[in-house]
Amino acid sequence: MSSLKNPQLLKAPELLERPRRLRASAALRESVAETHLRPSDFLAPFFVMPGRGLSEPIAALPGINRYSVDTFLLEAERALKLGVSSLLLFGVLPDTWKDPHGASAAEPDGPVPTAIRAARKAFGEDVVIYTDVCLCAHTTHGHCGVLKETPRGVRIDNDSSLRQLAAMALTHAEAGADFVAPSDMMDGRVGYLRRALDQAGHTEVGILSYAVKYASAFYGPFRDAAKSAPSFGDRASYQMDLRNAREALREAALDEAEGADMLMVKPALAYLDILARLRPQTQLPLVAYNVSGEYAMLKAAAMAGALEEARAVRETLMAIKRAGADLIISYHALEALAQGWI
Ligand code: PBG
């Protein structure tokens, strides 16, 4: 006996809303999609080092390499062809370049300033060049600022770090960077860099502030890539405590008041709530950093056959955009665009 014979069940239920109507076909779903990713949404991170003809795979980041300036240019050209014109540069220095003060950060012949000049010469205004401004890849101790002995022990000294960070930012501006991106988390660095840039005549050089940067386990692979792990202690006295959300809004408001042109939340995935909460607080462009550990985690799962990489990458990047990011820094970006995953 079939229940379909029951006339009561045959009557259409009186549903006023049928959300499934909008999901009926791929064409329809495309037309009502609320979130889209474009190549220009991405900043492509690059690790550049001294030397020539070098391309070193980074074990912790499968598919990502360190490049000397000449090979970096070839990769930058590939990024441009894929529609990604925003490049974020990180310097990787051999130990012989390092000292306790990170003097090589302000060296005009360092890999980052050299890469800036080369990219500007090769691509002119077709590229937007961002540079990471931080001392950790330049100091022997691997901390993001300079150290000071105090009656309470060794501390990361905020105010003397600012001077060295400003020297680094000026070196990048002189070389032709469009934006400097301080990632050190010293207090007052955005205002300090803004004044230093302005006084040197670099009023047009912008500041993308790593405003909301948490002390995170997800930076592990990056520290291998950039050879920038701290030799003692951790970064908890300058990077943010992962339990705090109101503090993120405060850090962002301070950096905006100090003159930041764009604000970043980092990492992205475990902090999408922070991105979504920050979105209505500011009119500035918001940038999310899909960091190295997030990339490595997904790559490992894909390589283990645990999930479909194309769909997982698309879902990850869409989620970051949907949560409120205008721009996304991601190691997935070039591969995802080249493979048509997004
Ligand atoms: C430098 C810096 C770090 C990252 C970006 N800039 C590492 C850190 O703070 O230890 C991490 C990026 C990533 O994990 O992809 N301070």
Side-chain angles (χ1 to χ4, degrees), residues 54 62 97 106 112 132 135 140 148 178 188-189 222 278 285 307 331:
L54 304 175
W97 283 59
V112 167
D132 191 77
L135 303 183
T140 35
K148 184 162 95 173
D178 295 292
R189 77 228 204 264
F222 174 97
L278 186 54
L307 47 73
Y331 304 94

Side-chain angles (χ1 to χ4, degrees), residues 132 134 183 213 219 222-223 235 239 266 289 292 331:
D132 191 77
C134 189
S183 67
K213 179 174 178 181
Y219 307 151
F222 174 97
R223 292 178 190 172
R235 305 210 198 289
Q239 299 181 347
K266 176 187 174 194
Y289 200 143
S292 58
Y331 304 94

Side-chain angles (χ1 to χ4, degrees), residues 100 134-136 139 141 143-147 156-157 161 184 186 238:
C134 189
L135 303 183
C136 60
T139 52
H141 46 74
H143 277 290
C144 301
V146 297
L147 307 182
I156 315 299
D157 187 38
S161 301
D184 52 283
M186 296 302 119
Y238 41 107

Side-chain angles (χ1 to χ4, degrees), residues 44 88 118 178 196 222 240 272-273 312 326 340:
L88 172 60
D178 295 292
F222 174 97
M240 287 176 47
L272 292 181
D273 60 325
D326 297 294

Side-chain angles (χ1 to χ4, degrees), residues 90 132 183 210-216 219 222 239 264-268 271 274-275 287-292 294 329:
F90 295 95
D132 191 77
S183 67
Y210 284 70
V212 180
K213 179 174 178 181
Y214 287 92
S216 169
Y219 307 151
F222 174 97
Q239 299 181 347
M264 191 195 299
V265 173
K266 176 187 174 194
Y271 302 88
I274 305 298
L275 202 55
V287 182
Y289 200 143
N290 177 212
V291 299
S292 58
E294 298 172 336
I329 304 167

